[in-house]
Amino acid sequence: MTGSSGTRPAAFAVWALTRAVLLLWVTKVVTPPGLDVTSDVSVIYHGWSEVLRSGTYPESDVTWQYPPVAALAILSPALLPFLDYATAFFVLAFLCDALVLGLLLRASDGPGRRAAGVWVWVAGVPLLGTTAYARYDVMVTAVAVAALLAGLRHPRILGALAAFGALLKVWPALLLAGTARGRATRLAWGTAAAVAAGLLLVCVAAAPGALAFLGFQRDRGTEVESLGALVFHVWRQFGWEGRVELHYGSLEFLGPHVPLVSTLALGLSVAAFGWLLVWRLRARTFGVSTPADAAFTAVLLFTTTSRVISPQYMLWLVGLAAVCLVLRESRMMWPAVLVVAATGVTQLEFPIGFVHVVTSDAQGLTLMFLRNGLLVAASVLAAVRLWRDTVRVPSGGATAKAAEPALSPAGRADTPASAP
């Protein structure tokens, strides 16, 4: 599917229809199926905003587990003072959604581009249901999409936005994983380091408690929707004596052997980081889509191995998959399809069927094995394709130079050994 003006009316029409439904759901004009997820905005986010307005971070609240720039997202409803806090937040989430659509539509036009990425975003967001607008992750995803698309020509902008995004919710730091060796990497990574340091200093100086999130995040356990939680979902059928409780802001398994499984999950994340480092050191061919493909793969790996796979994490993956599929060179089509499917299953398990997940009944087990199985399959397939496209020397003995004609001037490699 190629990017063309003919796709714009259809994509916009489907986007407008599905987003109208989302807005009706989150504003409770129409009651959606499942749990009410909007209370996180009207109660938790609103409460945090009151604390932030007083001049301090919510350092005594263990559910505050976000980097300091997240305060901007929590305070953002003040930009619309004529609306109540929750409604203003939903409107801003909608506007960020619209921004991503506009960026993808613009990027889908031209040689080497296609409209598939636009449709991934149009379809993927509503598949998550009300969670898409009832968390600030759509705002972070908008920053990440803008960073990757700008990075096609401007590595410094990629670095600056990645740093800003990382101080919103950490994971956008992984956007830098696939920058081309040489000048592009030096510009992007150097800019990111400078911007991150500057923003962090400002936040620490502005209010106490800016770094409190580090301790709260460290102490989290195994959340019921995570990959590691499957151990306990199954074990409960055979008499495991643990329980599910609200812990550090989410429902986690607590009881015998939970610390061991949490440690193993951290080990998987460390292994994923190790694989990413080895890939970075061995990669030789950096094409136009490599930064997006690498970012998508890295975030997939860390999401899948996390002790916590909250439903809103799927927005990150949908946004990055959309950027990949805007670029015709990318071979992430099937991993993207698996992610979109996993997003649909995620809405079925939360908020629609969450009681089944919490009780580990047959329906809950089926949903969790299906969703997490799709994520594992997507992660493995994305990693294999990234490795084959960038590490293996193409037939005929071509080297990294073979990719140079496809790169923008700002993204050309110098030599394979010129940068990390």
Side-chain angles (χ1 to χ4, degrees):
M1 187 177 350
T2 58
S4 68
S5 58
T7 66
R8 291 172 181 255
F12 182 78
V14 175
W15 178 87
L17 177 62
T18 54
R19 276 41 174 195
V21 172
L22 285 181
L23 285 172
L24 290 172
W25 280 357
V26 294
T27 55
K28 300 181 181 178
V29 174
V30 176
T31 303
L35 301 173
D36 177 15
V37 302
T38 62
S39 60
D40 277 20
V41 175
S42 59
V43 178
I44 298 176
Y45 284 14
H46 193 195
W48 286 340
S49 72
E50 294 300 319
V51 175
L52 288 165
R53 285 170 178 267
S54 72
T56 183
Y57 284 88
E59 55 185 333
S60 61
D61 185 348
V62 297
T63 62
W64 175 260
Q65 299 165 11
Y66 309 110
V69 175
L72 296 180
I74 302 303
L75 292 170
S76 63
L79 295 172
L80 303 175
F82 47 88
L83 297 175
D84 65 83
Y85 182 91
T87 303
F89 185 92
F90 300 142
V91 169
L92 291 172
F94 166 80
L95 292 176
C96 288
D97 182 357
L99 172 62
V100 173
L101 176 70
L103 291 172
L104 292 170
L105 283 170
R106 180 178 180 184
S108 67
D109 281 334
R113 306 299 175 88
R114 57 186 174 186
V118 175
W119 287 106
V120 166
W121 183 254
V122 169
V125 173
L127 283 176
L128 193 59
T130 50
T131 306
Y133 282 3
R135 304 289 188 273
Y136 81 90
D137 295 79
V138 67
M139 302 174 182
V140 186
T141 303
V143 173
V145 169
L148 285 175
L149 292 177
L152 293 172
R153 293 184 178 276
H154 306 289
R156 284 193 178 95
I157 297 178
L158 167 61
L161 290 176
F164 181 75
L167 290 179
L168 273 173
K169 208 161 189 181
V170 181
W171 67 267
L174 295 172
L175 301 179
L176 301 172
T179 52
R181 294 178 181 274
R183 182 171 179 267
T185 289
R186 290 193 296 270
L187 291 176
W189 292 19
T191 301
V195 171
L199 286 174
L200 198 57
L201 285 173
V202 168
C203 291
V204 170
L211 302 180
F213 77 100
L214 293 172
F216 300 153
Q217 191 65 245
R218 178 196 61 214
D219 295 333
R220 295 193 76 165
T222 297
E223 193 258 350
V224 294
E225 296 167 275
S226 66
L227 185 62
L230 293 177
V231 173
F232 301 109
H233 282 299
V234 173
W235 202 349
R236 282 176 115 182
Q237 316 306 312
F238 300 94
W240 180 67
E241 297 179 352
R243 62 198 184 278
V244 174
E245 288 186 7
L246 186 64
H247 189 243
Y248 283 89
S250 64
L251 287 172
E252 298 180 357
F253 280 114
L254 300 176
H257 307 293
V258 173
L260 173 61
V261 171
S262 297
T263 301
L264 291 174
L266 285 173
L268 279 178
S269 294
V270 171
F273 179 80
W275 180 89
L276 192 63
L277 180 60
V278 171
W279 167 79
R280 176 73 199 184
L281 293 173
R282 295 192 59 184
R284 291 294 177 266
T285 304
F286 289 81
V288 170
S289 70
T290 302
D293 291 347
F296 176 54
T297 302
V299 176
L300 248 177
L301 289 171
F302 282 96
T303 298
T304 303
T305 60
S306 172
R307 294 171 296 170
V308 180
I309 307 181
S310 294
Q312 61 267 25
Y313 294 6
M314 301 306 299
L315 277 180
W316 317 345
L317 301 175
V318 168
L320 298 181
V323 175
C324 290
L325 296 198
V326 159
L327 305 171
R328 178 166 295 281
E329 179 187 283
S330 175
R331 295 181 64 248
M332 293 294 166
M333 177 67 77
W334 277 109
V337 169
L338 293 173
V339 161
V340 171
T343 303
V345 177
T346 298
Q347 183 181 184
L348 294 178
E349 62 91 358
F350 183 91
I352 295 175
F354 197 54
V355 65
H356 300 287
V357 174
V358 172
T359 57
S360 302
D361 65 16
Q363 182 176 333
L365 277 170
T366 300
L367 289 171
M368 292 320 307
F369 270 97
L370 181 56
R371 197 283 297 274
N372 290 344
L374 288 168
L375 287 179
V376 169
S379 299
V380 172
L381 186 56
V384 168
R385 290 192 169 184
L386 180 66
W387 186 277
R388 287 178 175 174
D389 289 347
T390 58
V391 174
R392 297 174 69 178
V393 177
S395 59
T399 65
K401 294 292 183 180
E404 286 192 358
L407 294 171
S408 64
R412 293 187 185 279
D414 292 341
T415 67
S418 61

